[in-house]
Amino acid sequence: MYPDTRLHYTPPHPPGSVALTHEQILGICRLGLDDQHQPWPVQSVLMPVLGPATASLQEVWHTSLPAQDGRFGDVHYRRAGNLLFGVITLEEAQFAGQDGSTALQTLAERAYRQLFALLEQQQCLHLWRVWNYIPRINVEEHGMERYRQFNIGRHQAFAGSQRPVHGSPAACALGTASGPVSIAFLAANSAALPIENPRQVSAFAYPQQYGPVSPTFSRAALAGQSGTQWLFISGTASIVGHLTVHVGDVAAQTAETFANIAILLEQANRQQPRQPFTLAGLDYRVYIRHAADYPAVRAAVLARLGEDSRVVYVQADICRADLLVEIEAQGTG
Ligand code: 3EB
């Protein structure tokens, strides 16, 4: 038995402004700056931070017990009790396409196979949340959009590791202008409950028009932990059924995205009636395709969440060319 460790999250802040005990850090996400050389796993999200915030922010996953550092192939991870946070950073130039598969597809399969092998080795089998960042995600290469290539490799690793797609983690997949592929994940030795959105076709059941192989993520995941419930809302966009709606209208896309997030909260609250999740109680990350849309998106976000909301905005490519905004969130109930 592993001791039950409480998971804590410190929302984006300027580095150095929050004091944390080093051994209790599980991992860090750094927004807007490359920051690899740290003693714990760091996911550097090389996306411009928008708005009045400083150029670079970090958010921290930490625990109530000391964590131990580890390396497993290309994975840098930290483990504390029944929790594990890891980061995989890979340069695509190190990979060669083979047998009709592209370098990016090979990379994605290798990364996810390593991730799953680590979870087996650690007996920490359950993936709760994955953050995927892919350079030039919308660019078509070798006759296929790069996001679709990534989906093929990721799916092959799920299938090859006996991971059913309907038990997929909450996730996001966004594009950077350049840099490595970066995958961060949070796993535990207890399963998260996948939550789907009745307004949307499940992503793992998307029709072929979005690529030959579907993405492997759930719309949200509810993870029970030390008496706390964590809700992870996947990257959510202006999609109804499987179709993008409000093409070209960023304010309407933002409002539709919140309609989808609100439904996910309702679905989650049906599962855990004790302390309901609320829109205002979550921490948000908003990805905006065109930096110039920031004022319009921010206005639509504030209209829904209010002035006191905890939201960070970054410029990113979104994995459908007609999506202008994507929003993810997390929090405890
Ligand atoms: C969508 O709903 C938007 O490939 O892991 C959202 C969250 C999206 C996760 C992923 C993709 C992913 O289809 C895109």
Side-chain angles (χ1 to χ4, degrees), residues 132 147 151 154 171-173 200 203 206 215-217 219 234-237 239 319-320 323 326:
N132 301 289
Y147 173 57
N151 278 331
R154 175 171 59 171
C172 60
Q200 294 183 318
Y206 276 165
T216 44
F217 71 94
R219 298 298 181 184
S234 294
T236 304
I239 295 173
C319 64
R320 272 189 199 184
L323 289 173
E326 183 171 304

Side-chain angles (χ1 to χ4, degrees), residues 117-307:
L118 168 66
L119 300 190
E120 293 281 341
Q121 186 222 46
Q122 292 287 314
Q123 283 300 295
C124 202
L125 291 170
H126 303 282
L127 204 45
W128 286 0
R129 174 64 159 106
V130 187
W131 294 263
N132 301 289
Y133 297 106
I134 302 156
R136 296 161 31 251
I137 196 167
N138 296 128
V139 172
E140 182 147 329
E141 275 177 3
H142 311 291
M144 194 185 292
E145 187 193 30
R146 285 165 52 78
Y147 173 57
R148 299 178 181 200
Q149 298 175 25
F150 178 85
N151 278 331
I152 298 174
R154 175 171 59 171
H155 186 273
Q156 278 167 347
F158 270 77
S161 310
Q162 280 76 50
R163 296 263 173 177
V165 295
H166 54 262
S168 299
C172 60
L174 284 304
T176 56
S178 61
V181 174
S182 170
I183 300 171
F185 59 94
L186 196 52
N189 69 351
S190 60
L193 182 73
I195 292 174
E196 290 302 308
N197 180 345
R199 299 179 82 225
Q200 294 183 318
V201 173
S202 293
F204 48 80
Y206 276 165
Q208 292 250 331
Q209 71 201 75
Y210 304 103
V213 172
S214 293
T216 44
F217 71 94
S218 295
R219 298 298 181 184
L222 187 58
Q225 215 258 337
S226 286
T228 307
Q229 294 275 348
W230 274 91
L231 178 63
F232 299 97
I233 305 261
S234 294
T236 304
S238 182
I239 295 173
V240 178
H242 59 74
L243 295 173
T244 301
V245 294
H246 315 297
V247 172
D249 183 344
V250 75
Q253 285 200 10
T254 308
E256 194 71 51
T257 299
F258 274 109
N260 282 325
I261 292 174
I263 294 284
L264 290 169
L265 286 188
E266 262 177 41
Q267 298 293 108
N269 285 335
R270 283 194 198 171
Q271 305 291 334
Q272 65 108 38
R274 272 177 306 155
Q275 202 177 354
F277 296 103
T278 61
L279 275 177
L282 301 178
D283 287 284
Y284 293 83
R285 190 183 296 174
V286 178
Y287 302 94
I288 302 175
R289 181 181 294 279
H290 304 297
D293 284 340
Y294 165 70
V297 173
R298 181 168 182 273
V301 169
L302 293 186
R304 195 68 205 243
L305 297 181
E307 293 283 340

